[in-house]
Amino acid sequence: MHNLVGAAVDVTGRSYGKNSRWTCHGCGATSDYPVSDFLPFTSGRANAHAAQCRAAYHRLG
């Protein structure tokens, strides 16, 4: 998915089990609880972040 200015918000993880996370390439924000998050909840949180984030670019790594 993408935020309001087009920066990618990536969601990674497994369909079943824990350890899914999201990362915003706009502002650099990440999941609050990547070890205990399930993918359906992580996707929803990433989408909510993307709907509000206006950052254009953040160097990850």
Side-chain angles (χ1 to χ4, degrees):
M1 60 197 76
H2 293 91
N3 71 5
L4 295 173
V5 295
V9 179
D10 293 333
V11 177
T12 58
R14 298 177 293 188
S15 297
Y16 298 99
K18 299 179 182 181
N19 295 323
S20 65
R21 66 183 67 231
W22 62 268
T23 303
C24 179
H25 292 270
C27 68
T30 61
S31 300
D32 294 329
Y33 306 106
V35 174
S36 62
D37 277 350
F38 292 96
L39 192 57
F41 298 115
T42 303
S43 295
R45 290 182 185 124
N47 192 36
H49 175 81
Q52 297 178 357
C53 182
R54 291 179 174 85
Y57 176 74
H58 178 78
R59 184 177 175 95
L60 300 175

